[in-house]
Amino acid sequence: MNQDKILSIRNISKTYAHGVQALHNISLELPMGMYGLLGPNGAGKSTLMRTLATLQDPDEGEISFMGIDVINQKEELRKTLGYLPQEFGLYAKAKAEDLLDYFAVLKGITNKAKRKELTESLLKQTNLWEKRKHKVGGFSGGMKQRFGVAIALLGNPKLLIVDEPTAGLDPAERVRFLNLLSELGENSVVILSTHIVEDVSELCTKMAIINEGEILSEGEPIELVNNLHGRIWRSIIQKNAFDTITNQHSVISTRLLSGKTVVHIYSEANPGSNFEMVTPDLEDVYFSAINGHIGKASLNPAL
């Protein structure tokens, strides 16, 4: 494996008992730092995250992290794993410092003095020290997410998986949380699984787009954006013209603006005088991939 690639995922597939294929032949190579996994709800993100977190086995394929066989050496991987699932339960009536101490015991940190030092450090790192005596049931959504990160960081993990971490957070909480993840990505592999394009564009140096259990595109966000130059066009239309535009062009996204509709389309050539070429962004990359205009052919073979 390339020394720059810390986590190797090879040909992973997973089909559930009711016949739904959640993952189909997934292969990725992840370096140190922040890696974004971007896709709509139901795309297979959580299935892949649970597989990487050793909570379920794939039907086939291999996963290796820093020499550890993730599928067959689960306990070894868990020693260096931090996992923040999309939803996690907390003891609402417990004080933050007491609950974090409890999870530290479960993590195998038996020395009381070391636990106290560690919990203090983590509560300060996640900006919760002033709330250490407060019951976690009274925490805001952002505070609960940051407390979840504190739990995930017990044991100084080298692989941190966060699944849809900013869903439901207000703008200020979201910024604080993303800043925290960015700091953590300096010394570990942090996988950010999300359907929010802005989370990936602001944080991740590498990313992949997944839908219906398959990787559609992968690379550096800026590289994927640059590959779309000259192919994204915009028009502002009346609502009643939308069906006509949809029938004539490959519409990738729309939004309302002062009673009119702003349409972005994908086109290799100038689609006509009603459209203007625009500088693409990661949202255009995302919708172009989801709508099938860029796909496996755009994968970077160097990754």
Side-chain angles (χ1 to χ4, degrees):
M1 182 174 66
N2 187 318
Q3 292 182 351
D4 293 331
K5 310 303 180 183
I6 308 299
L7 175 62
S8 178
I9 303 167
R10 297 288 188 182
N11 307 119
I12 291 296
S13 293
K14 178 69 176 181
T15 300
Y16 289 113
H18 46 64
V20 173
Q21 187 171 34
L23 299 174
H24 177 64
N25 201 33
I26 297 289
S27 292
L28 294 169
E29 300 282 349
L30 280 63
M32 191 75 74
M34 291 286 300
Y35 191 97
L37 185 66
L38 185 61
N41 293 328
K45 301 188 303 298
S46 292
T47 297
L48 181 57
M49 296 303 97
R50 288 195 299 268
T51 302
L52 295 176
T54 72
L55 298 179
Q56 63 182 29
D57 287 334
D59 297 330
E60 56 186 39
E62 302 175 349
I63 307 172
S64 174
F65 178 73
M66 298 180 68
I68 299 171
D69 182 334
V70 173
I71 298 172
N72 296 309
Q73 295 177 292
K74 293 182 176 63
E75 291 303 320
E76 284 300 309
L77 190 279
R78 290 168 185 167
K79 292 177 183 177
T80 190
L81 170 70
Y83 177 48
L84 179 61
Q86 186 171 352
E87 296 181 5
F88 60 99
L90 293 173
Y91 298 92
K93 295 182 179 181
K95 296 178 181 178
E97 63 178 359
D98 294 338
L99 187 55
L100 190 58
D101 180 78
Y102 170 73
F103 277 106
V105 172
L106 294 181
K107 194 71 174 180
I109 305 170
T110 56
N111 184 283
K112 187 175 181 179
K114 288 184 178 180
R115 286 204 315 275
K116 182 178 180 180
E117 180 181 355
L118 177 60
T119 56
E120 178 178 338
S121 173
L122 289 175
L123 288 171
K124 288 180 177 178
Q125 185 179 2
T126 53
N127 198 28
L128 290 171
W129 178 246
E130 299 300 324
K131 304 292 185 181
R132 65 190 183 279
K133 301 292 185 182
H134 291 218
K135 295 179 180 179
V136 295
F139 280 6
S140 68
M143 291 165 63
K144 288 179 180 178
Q145 289 292 69
R146 283 183 277 131
F147 188 73
V149 169
I151 295 173
L153 290 178
L154 289 168
N156 191 29
K158 292 300 180 183
L159 174 61
L160 180 61
I161 298 170
V162 288
D163 193 2
E164 297 285 358
T166 65
L169 300 190
D170 66 39
E173 289 177 328
R174 174 180 170 273
V175 169
R176 283 194 293 268
F177 188 79
L178 293 180
N179 286 340
L180 172 60
L181 291 183
S182 182
E183 293 174 7
L184 299 175
E186 295 178 3
N187 299 304
S188 58
V189 176
V190 179
I191 305 176
L192 173 62
S193 172
T194 182
H195 68 280
I196 302 174
V197 176
E198 291 82 4
D199 289 355
V200 173
S201 64
E202 294 174 11
L203 281 180
C204 302
T205 56
K206 300 281 187 180
M207 64 168 289
I209 298 172
I210 185 173
N211 193 32
E212 296 181 348
E214 296 189 60
I215 299 298
L216 303 181
S217 190
E218 184 189 13
E220 299 178 6
I222 190 171
E223 176 188 36
L224 296 177
V225 169
N226 287 339
N227 288 342
L228 270 189
H229 275 295
R231 290 185 276 176
I232 303 299
W233 305 78
R234 179 181 67 183
S235 182
I236 300 176
I237 63 173
Q238 298 292 337
K239 290 183 179 179
N240 57 14
F242 179 72
D243 288 343
T244 299
I245 293 292
T246 301
N247 290 332
Q248 295 176 349
H249 302 283
S250 299
V251 175
I252 60 170
S253 66
T254 63
R255 64 182 178 89
L256 293 178
L257 177 66
S258 302
K260 295 184 178 181
T261 302
V262 179
V263 177
H264 278 210
I265 71 167
Y266 178 96
S267 179
E268 300 281 352
N270 190 330
S273 59
N274 292 331
F275 290 87
E276 62 175 344
M277 185 188 299
V278 295
T279 301
D281 57 21
L282 196 59
E283 186 172 276
D284 292 315
V285 172
Y286 174 65
F287 285 118
S288 294
I290 295 299
N291 286 281
H293 301 301
I294 59 175
K296 294 182 179 180
S298 69
L299 296 183
N300 185 346
L303 290 176

